[in-house]
Amino acid sequence: MLFRSYITPLLVCCIFILTGCYSPEDKEGHPEYFQVYYDKYDSSKNEDKEAALELLNNAFRSFPNPGLIDWFEKFDRDRDVAYYVKTNYIKAMSVSDSMLLLTEDKKEREAYASYHVRALFYKGDCYYKLKRYNEAFYYYSRAKQMAMQFMKDKCSLVEYDSYNGYLFFTQARYDLAASYFYNDCIQQMQCPQDNYNRFVIIQRNLDNIGICYYRLGRFDSADHYYNKALDYISQNESRFPQQHYFARLAKAVVYGNKAQMLEDMRKYSEAESMYIKSAEVTGLTDKAYTSSTQVSLAGLYIKMNKLNQADSLLTIVKALLDTLPNENAMLRWYRLKTELLVKTQQRDIAFDVLQAYNKLKDSVDIRDRKFAAMDINREFESMEQKALNAALQKDNQVKNMYLVIAVTVLMMVVAIVLLVWYNLRRSSRHVKELNRKNEDLQNAFNSLEQSHRENSHILRIMAHDLKNPISAMRNLVYSLLRKEQPAQQREILELVQDTCGTSLNLINDLLNDRRQLSSTRKELVDMARLLESCVELQQAKADEKNQQLYLVAEPAEIMLNTQKIWRVISNIISNAIKFSPPGTEIKISLQKRTSSVLLCVQDQGIGIPDEFKDKIFSAPEKVMRLGTFGEKSYGLGLSISKKIVEEHRGKIWFDSVDGKGSSFYVELPSLN
């Protein structure tokens, strides 16, 4: 088996050695010759794909010099047969390795980056199907990092968010999985490309959202998205007549999912009809999926006490599972067979089947337990942080070069001044010329002063050097939290860890003050609970000034980036405390509206003068004022808050009277 897995990569190497003698004018791809075979294969049903692949292979044998892209597209079809038709994921992984080898030397060029990224995701998919989730996560993360670094077409990156959804789904974190599938679906609809691939992804995401809500026990929401998936397929299937078989298969999958939900709702007759309707279609194109559907139908027959029908169906399914192994379906088959044998008083045989079930389940549980404990969000954030650090390091090198140039210019100016002074003492004959040089020198000094101000600003923005000690502090706290700690000490350590994370994000935003950050990652968050946590953290600061924080919040779930919105709320409340006298009240409210939520922070502080009101969000230095206890202000907080709110498609504004207090408002769109 080990030798066979290397045959295809070695074959690729031999091909490229043999084709190296051809003219350098040979093209990497020849769609004018091969496209007709690609189209023939892509429009074939599953049972016809092997024959279509053989036609493509014959075309390759007769063509004198296929290029790199030609070979990649051929291997793509080889992998498709192994993965979907034969469900041989080991073979599919071997072909994926060949695709990686083809593009390895050119992966950093934009024209080939998308091919290499696709091959990385294919290999991750194989590991995912083999239940080797850690390896799947590794290849998914590598693929996404390469896509972010080398691919400029952001629409081609959209689909990759749904892979996070699959990983969270495997961890049974269905609410997070639903949010990733939902975001992917919305972004797919907003992309200008409108092709068959988009159609496949959107209908799949709608169905996946329904499955997540079904697992959460929210049957109404699940049924809504199942119906949306069916409606979307019906409305768009006529646009792709060559893939009509896929539309029928996609509907059958949704029918099977709806049947499971109807069964849980004890609507057995409707569930039976849906299972049969699904199996009639998939039995012709996807026998592996059909076996899973038939196992579910057998379980339904046992619930309906149709034991003979259940026994017959389980016998049929066992034959399918022996030829097309399906681990999850096999576990359910053992469990249902045991239940059926107990009901028919065959307890001795039932005990043997139950032992086989327990043995298989134990091996699956041991393998999955490690992946279930993985913090996927932390891993992806770490990966994105590394990419950001690399970009900042490169940017820092450019700034250092500018600084060296500025110092060199300064030394040259000093040398000129000394030379002029020396010449002035030596000869009065050059007074007129020196006066002219004096004017040039003054201009140089003015330019130098302006350059000095800009460099001071650059050095202030280069505060990212603070990230190293803060990151070290967060890692140390993380190590302490992994050990057993008293409850009070653990609470303090968790607060320090959260504060370190927020500080790192703030430094990143300061460093990127003049350019848009990477796309804001959002999740479904209870805004009221987030607001409560912010108020609790700010209460200690208010207690120092004997101030009272009053919170009235209505429950509201919205899609947002928790850390960024937490920073906005914390900054507004902190400003209210900073600019309010001791012993005053600060009122904080959260109101749920029809399509948005409104946050209001009202204080009794010093207010905002009229001359500052149109500058408060632009971070000018003249707007910086001291707090009522002499607290310093840097004029950056509200400008950053405005950018974060606008990234969330929200609004931020204020009402204020000088000397009588201020009211700040933040309105964010709610989840529709």
Side-chain angles (χ1 to χ4, degrees):
M1 292 296 293
L2 183 61
F3 173 75
R4 290 176 61 190
S5 67
Y6 286 93
I7 290 178
T8 307
L10 290 173
L11 177 61
V12 175
C13 293
C14 293
I15 289 170
F16 275 89
I17 292 172
L18 291 174
T19 56
C21 59
Y22 282 89
S23 168
E25 298 179 356
D26 291 336
K27 298 189 298 182
E28 296 282 24
H30 303 82
E32 69 278 3
Y33 181 82
F34 291 112
Q35 192 62 47
V36 63
Y37 298 100
Y38 298 153
D39 292 340
K40 173 68 175 176
Y41 175 89
D42 294 341
S43 61
S44 299
K45 298 180 181 179
N46 275 14
E47 60 267 27
D48 300 327
K49 283 190 178 296
E50 290 188 79
L53 181 62
E54 185 58 28
L55 289 175
L56 178 60
N57 289 334
N58 290 335
F60 264 77
R61 295 186 191 103
S62 61
F63 193 79
N65 185 27
L68 183 151
I69 295 176
D70 298 327
W71 281 107
F72 188 97
E73 294 294 344
K74 177 198 174 307
F75 286 142
D76 198 355
R77 275 70 181 179
D78 288 335
R79 176 257 179 195
D80 190 79
V81 168
Y83 188 91
Y84 290 106
V85 179
K86 296 185 175 181
T87 63
N88 185 342
Y89 305 121
I90 300 297
K91 174 66 179 300
M93 187 182 299
S94 174
V95 180
S96 300
D97 285 331
S98 299
M99 300 166 78
L100 289 171
L101 184 62
L102 274 173
T103 54
E104 178 66 30
D105 294 336
K106 300 184 179 182
K107 63 185 179 183
E108 295 182 2
R109 292 165 57 182
E110 184 182 0
Y112 299 95
S114 62
Y115 292 101
H116 196 76
V117 167
R118 196 197 313 176
L120 287 170
F121 269 105
Y122 283 167
K123 190 163 184 177
D125 284 341
C126 293
Y127 278 123
Y128 184 90
K129 287 294 186 180
L130 293 168
K131 311 296 184 183
R132 294 169 62 177
Y133 299 120
N134 289 325
E135 290 95 332
F137 172 78
Y138 170 77
Y139 280 96
Y140 287 161
S141 61
R142 274 189 62 193
K144 185 172 182 181
Q145 189 171 10
M146 278 208 61
M148 292 170 60
Q149 190 172 359
F150 298 112
M151 294 172 62
K152 294 181 180 179
D153 179 14
K154 300 308 176 187
C155 265
S156 62
L157 300 177
V158 168
E159 183 187 358
Y160 303 153
D161 272 349
S162 65
Y163 287 89
N164 294 0
Y166 291 122
L167 293 171
F168 281 122
F169 187 92
T170 303
Q171 290 186 320
R173 301 168 72 181
Y174 304 119
D175 51 344
L176 283 175
S179 68
Y180 276 103
F181 292 136
Y182 178 83
N183 284 340
D184 185 30
C185 191
I186 294 300
Q187 293 178 72
Q188 289 284 354
M189 292 179 177
Q190 293 174 348
C191 281
Q193 296 95 330
D194 186 16
N195 51 33
Y196 174 70
N197 190 45
R198 290 274 184 273
F199 165 71
V200 173
I201 295 170
I202 291 173
Q203 65 82 26
R204 183 181 64 202
N205 280 328
L206 291 171
D207 186 42
N208 286 339
I209 296 170
I211 297 173
C212 290
Y213 283 128
Y214 160 71
R215 293 294 181 90
L216 291 168
R218 295 165 61 178
F219 295 144
D220 288 341
S221 298
D223 189 59
H224 171 74
Y225 279 99
Y226 286 151
N227 290 332
K228 286 195 71 171
L230 291 172
D231 291 341
Y232 181 82
I233 295 169
S234 298
Q235 293 167 6
N236 292 275
E237 61 182 328
S238 60
R239 297 166 50 216
F240 311 102
Q242 291 184 322
Q243 286 82 19
H244 64 90
Y245 70 95
F246 171 81
R248 295 180 66 241
L249 181 62
K251 288 181 180 178
V253 170
V254 180
Y255 295 149
N257 294 332
K258 287 194 71 171
Q260 288 183 334
M261 182 184 68
L262 291 168
E263 181 180 345
D264 284 359
M265 297 170 68
R266 298 183 181 277
K267 297 180 180 182
Y268 293 151
S269 297
E270 295 179 42
E272 179 184 9
S273 176
M274 280 289 179
Y275 279 135
I276 294 173
K277 190 175 182 180
S278 174
E280 285 176 348
V281 175
T282 60
L284 300 175
T285 56
D286 193 341
K287 296 187 183 299
Y289 181 85
T290 304
S291 66
S292 180
T293 303
Q294 289 177 324
V295 169
S296 298
L297 180 58
L300 177 63
Y301 283 148
I302 293 175
K303 290 181 180 179
M304 299 171 70
N305 210 30
K306 297 181 178 180
L307 303 184
N308 290 333
Q309 290 175 264
D311 186 54
S312 299
L313 194 54
L314 287 175
T315 301
I316 294 171
V317 172
K318 185 61 166 63
L320 277 174
L321 293 175
D322 288 340
T323 56
L324 295 171
N326 184 327
E327 194 171 68
N328 290 332
M330 198 70 233
L331 278 172
R332 290 159 57 207
W333 187 93
Y334 280 131
R335 181 173 54 79
L336 292 174
K337 187 67 174 180
T338 301
E339 185 177 348
L340 179 63
L341 290 169
V342 170
K343 282 195 172 189
T344 55
Q345 305 301 319
Q346 302 179 66
R347 298 185 181 276
D348 291 338
I349 304 176
F351 178 78
D352 294 336
V353 176
L354 182 60
Q355 281 189 315
Y357 167 82
N358 289 331
K359 182 178 179 181
L360 179 59
K361 188 173 188 303
D362 287 343
S363 66
V364 171
D365 289 345
I366 291 171
R367 182 197 59 216
D368 293 351
R369 196 173 295 122
K370 182 177 180 181
F371 177 77
M374 181 187 293
D375 189 341
I376 296 173
N377 268 334
R378 183 182 299 277
E379 296 292 333
F380 271 109
E381 287 174 1
S382 175
M383 177 192 70
E384 292 173 355
Q385 186 66 38
K386 289 178 181 178
L388 180 60
N389 287 343
L392 290 175
Q393 186 176 8
K394 184 176 181 180
D395 188 49
N396 193 31
Q397 292 174 351
V398 175
K399 292 177 180 177
N400 287 338
M401 181 182 67
Y402 289 156
L403 187 60
V404 170
I405 293 173
V407 172
T408 303
V409 171
L410 178 61
M411 294 176 64
M412 293 175 63
V413 169
V414 171
I416 292 172
V417 171
L418 291 174
L419 181 62
V420 170
W421 177 77
Y422 177 76
N423 288 334
L424 183 63
R425 293 188 59 183
R426 287 189 59 186
S427 177
S428 59
R429 292 178 299 173
H430 300 146
V431 171
K432 185 180 292 186
E433 186 175 353
L434 283 175
N435 287 336
R436 182 180 61 80
K437 289 185 176 181
N438 247 355
E439 293 177 0
D440 295 340
L441 186 61
Q442 185 61 45
N443 292 333
F445 271 120
N446 291 338
S447 299
L448 183 61
E449 185 179 358
Q450 176 66 23
S451 176
H452 176 71
R453 285 198 298 268
E454 292 176 355
N455 287 333
S456 296
H457 182 64
I458 291 173
L459 290 174
R460 182 169 63 90
I461 295 301
M462 286 168 61
H464 73 274
D465 289 338
L466 291 172
K467 287 189 298 181
N468 293 331
I470 295 176
S471 296
M473 186 186 304
R474 184 173 66 173
N475 292 336
L476 178 59
V477 172
Y478 174 74
S479 299
L480 292 174
L481 283 172
R482 294 183 63 184
K483 301 177 181 178
E484 192 69 22
Q485 303 287 349
Q488 185 176 5
Q489 186 171 347
R490 173 169 285 275
E491 183 178 354
I492 294 173
L493 288 173
E494 289 175 346
L495 180 60
V496 172
Q497 187 181 44
D498 291 340
T499 304
C500 288
T502 303
S503 299
L504 285 171
N505 287 328
L506 177 59
I507 289 173
N508 288 335
D509 284 353
L510 288 173
L511 291 169
N512 291 275
D513 186 50
R514 293 184 178 273
R515 61 182 181 271
Q516 181 70 28
L517 295 176
S518 59
S519 61
T520 302
R521 187 179 304 285
K522 300 178 183 177
E523 58 188 354
L524 190 61
V525 176
D526 187 340
M527 186 70 172
R529 292 187 61 184
L530 179 62
L531 190 56
E532 288 173 4
S533 67
C534 289
V535 171
E536 288 175 1
L537 289 174
Q538 295 289 343
Q539 185 62 56
K541 187 175 180 181
D543 289 342
E544 294 176 1
K545 301 178 75 171
N546 196 25
Q547 296 170 340
Q548 294 294 323
L549 302 181
Y550 291 98
L551 171 63
V552 178
E554 298 178 7
E557 290 189 341
I558 63 175
M559 297 295 296
L560 52 80
N561 183 291
T562 304
Q563 290 184 339
K564 290 192 175 184
I565 294 299
W566 186 94
R567 196 179 317 149
V568 173
I569 298 170
S570 179
N571 181 67
I572 295 175
I573 297 175
S574 177
N575 283 347
I577 295 171
K578 182 188 302 181
F579 298 111
S580 295
T584 57
E585 297 178 354
I586 298 172
K587 298 179 181 179
I588 305 158
S589 65
L590 181 68
Q591 179 184 358
K592 187 175 181 181
R593 296 185 169 184
T594 303
S595 59
S596 64
V597 293
L598 179 65
L599 167 67
C600 175
V601 179
Q602 184 179 12
D603 63 51
Q604 301 170 357
I606 62 177
I608 302 172
D610 292 339
E611 63 268 27
F612 288 167
K613 288 183 177 179
D614 59 343
K615 305 174 183 177
I616 202 72
F617 292 112
S618 59
E621 295 181 354
K622 294 182 180 179
V623 177
M624 297 187 298
R625 297 190 294 168
L626 296 178
T628 55
F629 269 13
E631 301 99 321
K632 289 186 178 180
S633 174
Y634 299 95
L636 294 172
L638 287 176
S639 66
I640 294 174
S641 297
K642 185 173 186 293
K643 290 182 180 181
I644 292 174
V645 172
E646 288 175 350
E647 285 177 7
H648 286 74
R649 299 184 181 180
K651 296 185 294 183
I652 181 170
W653 72 95
F654 67 91
D655 293 323
S656 181
V657 177
D658 191 12
K660 295 184 180 180
S662 304
S663 296
F664 276 81
Y665 301 89
V666 175
E667 186 176 14
L668 297 171
S670 60
L671 180 64
N672 190 345

